[in-house]
Amino acid sequence: METAAPSAVIVAIDGPSGTGKSSTSKAVAAKLGLRYLDTGAQYRAITWWMISNGVDTDDAQAVAVAAGKPSIVSGTDPAAPTITVDGLDAAGPIRTQEVTSKVSAVSAVPEVRTLITELQRSIAAEAARDADGIVVEGRDIGTTVLPDADLKVFLTASAEARAARRSGELRGKEAADLAATKAALIKRDAADSGRKTSPLAKAGDAVEVDTTELTLDQVIECVVTLVEEKRAVRT
């Protein structure tokens, strides 16, 4: 980015669900004074809008036609990230099991990915121009959204470890047993990796970090070190 501040650093963190992307990305951004963007929340937000407005999320054509209607705004403060849809706070509604079960289908629609990708790139460009940089997490950041990111990290973990973490995040009626959660994660992995447009994949120049046997603090420290090393090379 020609307009980027000399010290600005763009960090792309990708990986499947349950690897610790969100917790790691927010903590790394907070520690290093960077902005933070959860791109998955944006796809959840547009999915929630589709559901709320009666759009059949299994009808790709209907989703494509409606894709440009909602206004999605993401706050990038890692201490208090926000997301609104048409001015409404969507942070809670986008985390329901209904949205989770439908987000892969909506995310696979090319028109949706084009719109959301443009939004993500504009947010990253603003952070590079007006701040110290940004940590952007998702599934296709290093491969599609920000292929020129200064640092690319791909988080992985065993399906068992990811299921345990995800089950721990669920509450009340949303809770599920480990076997069901593991099955859901594997199903989503297949959908995200198999879609034709911007599939989940590790970028060729990404650093892979297996979080299966690591604590969250260890993962955070690992990524912070990688970012600081990248900054040192650039100065």
Side-chain angles (χ1 to χ4, degrees):
M1 301 177 185
E2 294 80 7
T3 56
S7 62
V9 60
I10 305 299
V11 182
I13 298 184
D14 290 309
S17 298
T19 54
K21 291 193 308 296
S22 294
S23 298
T24 299
S25 299
K26 281 188 285 189
V28 168
K31 282 195 171 190
L32 297 176
L34 306 176
R35 294 185 184 180
Y36 160 74
L37 177 61
D38 175 2
T39 64
Q42 295 175 320
Y43 284 107
R44 284 175 170 274
I46 197 168
T47 300
W48 174 63
W49 184 92
M50 296 284 174
I51 295 170
S52 300
N53 286 272
V55 178
D56 182 356
T57 56
D58 291 323
D59 184 339
Q61 184 174 356
V63 170
V65 170
K69 295 181 179 180
S71 173
I72 298 171
V73 178
S74 297
T76 55
D77 179 354
T82 60
I83 187 160
T84 64
V85 180
D86 294 339
L88 299 175
D89 179 7
I94 66 173
R95 300 297 173 183
T96 64
Q97 188 58 43
E98 183 178 22
V99 171
T100 297
S101 67
K102 297 178 183 298
V103 65
S104 286
V106 173
S107 300
V109 176
E111 289 81 358
V112 170
R113 298 207 74 83
T114 296
L115 286 167
I116 299 296
T117 294
E118 290 175 355
L119 175 60
Q120 293 163 359
R121 286 174 176 163
S122 69
I123 292 171
E126 180 184 359
R129 182 179 64 249
D130 302 333
D132 288 333
I134 191 168
V135 178
V136 183
E137 59 123 325
R139 286 171 170 74
D140 66 341
I141 311 307
T143 54
T144 301
V145 180
L146 301 170
D148 296 323
D150 299 299
L151 173 66
K152 301 173 187 177
V153 178
F154 192 85
L155 299 183
T156 64
S158 69
E160 290 77 13
R162 293 191 292 124
R165 293 168 186 168
R166 184 49 51 91
S167 290
E169 295 171 359
L170 300 174
R171 295 291 183 270
K173 290 186 294 184
E174 297 295 319
D177 60 57
L178 276 177
T181 302
K182 180 181 175 181
L185 286 173
I186 291 173
K187 181 179 179 180
R188 180 158 187 197
D189 288 349
D192 291 345
S193 300
R195 64 176 177 242
K196 294 181 180 180
T197 305
S198 302
L200 165 66
K202 175 188 171 185
D205 55 348
V207 179
E208 183 171 329
V209 178
D210 188 333
T211 71
T212 303
E213 301 295 335
L214 300 178
T215 65
L216 176 59
D217 285 342
Q218 288 174 324
V219 178
I220 293 167
E221 188 57 38
C222 175
V223 177
V224 165
T225 299
L226 290 171
V227 177
E228 290 178 332
E229 289 174 348
K230 181 62 65 173
R231 277 179 160 174
V233 171
R234 296 184 60 193
T235 55

